[in-house]
């Protein structure tokens, strides 16, 4: 009979092997946890369903149940999964792939059990009765890249204009003379931030390889005027000054001098 000599595993070897395995598992767990934390953070460019509250509140209220995703008949909404670089388990949509089709009954909103989607923000009162109004949604704002939009080249294209469900309001066409040809007109799309819902139907319809019109979250797409600038020609706009507090004067090194001093000193002109 053949005999084989087995190497005895001492308690010391068992201990070292266990320590090595534990160290490997800890390192793997750390990497997984780090990835989870990175994706669990709020994503600034993410687009939420209609009636979503402010992102900071949405992240607090959303329970990641997925009911809004299930209710959407067009499969517009998705739940963020690992690798999406978005807060895990939260609903979002990508307009270039599947936009919001502006359902009049907005099925994704009433099913939300936590208040992350606020029904009142997409409702109106008609004869004392509350009814849904998808045109009140503000999922984002469409922004046109005038360098990539072929309409700004002088090529006739109104794809985004025709796709807009609130045509001649959310997107209008502006007519300008084409000085290059002297015969044709520019028909360029202009987005109205007051009525654009951010549905993304325009982005989906754009004919360029990468959409020249794209939807961004409102706080990214829009600037902030500040309460100390007013439209003197609009009645009532001065009321915004009531909210302005403190000193709103811009202070620079130039402002420390009189206008005659810095205007007559060449080296100060471009500082």
């Amino acid at each position: 009979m053949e005999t084989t000599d087995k190497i005895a595993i001492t308690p010391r070897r068992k201990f070292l092997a266990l320590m090595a395995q534990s160290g490997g598992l800890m390192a793997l767990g750390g990497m997984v946890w780090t990835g989870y934390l990175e994706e669990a953070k709020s994503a600034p460019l993410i687009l939420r369903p209609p009636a979503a509250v402010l992102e900071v509140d949405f992240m607090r209220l959303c329970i990641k149940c997925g009911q809004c995703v299930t209710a959407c008949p067009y499969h517009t909404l998705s739940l963020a999964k690992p690798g999406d670089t978005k807060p895990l388990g939260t609903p979002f949509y990508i307009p270039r792939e599947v936009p919001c089709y502006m359902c009049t009954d907005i099925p994704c909103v009433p099913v939300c059990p936590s208040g992350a989607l606020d029904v009142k923000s997409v409702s109106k009162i008609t004869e004392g009765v509350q009814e849904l109004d998808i045109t009140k949604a503000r999922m984002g704002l469409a922004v046109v890249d005038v360098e990539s939009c072929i309409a700004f080249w002088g090529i006739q294209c109104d794809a985004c204009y025709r796709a807009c469900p609130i045509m001649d309001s959310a997107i209008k066409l502006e007519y300008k003379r084409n000085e290059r040809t002297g015969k044709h007109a520019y028909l360029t799309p202009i987005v109205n931030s007051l009525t654009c819902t951010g549905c993304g139907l325009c982005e989906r319809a754009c004919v360029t390889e990468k959409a020249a019109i794209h939807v961004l979250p409102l706080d990214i797409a829009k600037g902030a005027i500040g309460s100390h600038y007013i439209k003197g020609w609009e009645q009532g706009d001065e009321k915004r000054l009531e909210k302005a507090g403190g000193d709103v004067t811009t202070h620079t090194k130039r402002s420390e001098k009189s206008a005659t001093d810095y205007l007559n000193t060449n080296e100060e002109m471009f500082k």
Side-chain angles (χ1 to χ4, degrees), residues 85-227:
T85 64
K86 294 173 176 60
L88 291 174
T90 60
F92 71 98
Y93 71 104
I94 301 176
R96 189 63 165 171
E97 296 178 1
V98 188
C100 172
Y101 284 92
M102 302 272 286
C103 303
T104 55
D105 58 345
I106 328 179
C108 59
V109 176
V111 297
C112 178
S114 65
L117 303 181
D118 181 16
V119 175
K120 291 183 179 179
S121 68
V122 288
S123 299
K124 62 181 180 182
I125 304 298
T126 303
E127 298 180 353
V129 179
Q130 178 176 299
E131 59 182 29
L132 295 171
D133 183 1
I134 187 59
T135 63
K136 290 184 173 293
R138 293 296 179 267
M139 294 168 275
L141 177 64
V143 178
V144 180
D145 177 3
V146 298
E147 294 183 353
S148 300
C149 177
I150 60 176
F152 283 85
W153 293 12
I155 299 175
Q156 186 172 346
C157 177
D158 58 1
C160 61
Y161 169 75
R162 295 291 177 185
C164 180
I166 317 177
M167 188 188 298
D168 282 324
S169 180
I171 298 182
K172 296 181 179 181
L173 290 182
E174 185 174 78
Y175 295 80
K176 291 183 180 179
R177 176 180 171 81
N178 188 333
E179 298 293 343
R180 179 176 58 83
T181 64
K183 298 179 180 179
H184 307 94
Y186 287 106
L187 279 68
T188 54
I190 305 297
V191 179
N192 184 350
S193 64
L194 296 178
T195 53
C196 175
T197 64
C199 67
L201 283 163
C202 56
E203 182 176 340
R204 181 72 179 86
C206 184
V207 300
T208 55
E209 181 178 352
K210 182 179 179 181
I213 183 169
H214 46 274
V215 179
L216 295 174
L218 283 173
D219 58 340
I220 300 295
K222 299 186 68 174
I225 299 171
S227 57

Side-chain angles (χ1 to χ4, degrees), residues 6-7 16 36-37 51 60 74 121 127 129-130 159 194 255:
K6 295 183 178 180
I7 300 175
L16 293 175
Y36 170 79
L37 290 179
R60 176 176 56 85
Y74 294 99
S121 68
E127 298 180 353
V129 179
Q130 178 176 299
L194 296 178
S255 65

Side-chain angles (χ1 to χ4, degrees), residues 19-53:
M19 290 296 292
Q21 292 174 359
S22 300
L25 289 173
M26 290 176 63
L28 179 60
M31 289 188 290
V32 172
W33 182 247
T34 300
Y36 170 79
L37 290 179
E38 286 298 318
E39 294 198 345
K41 297 177 182 177
S42 178
L45 296 180
I46 195 169
L47 295 172
R48 298 299 188 186
V53 296

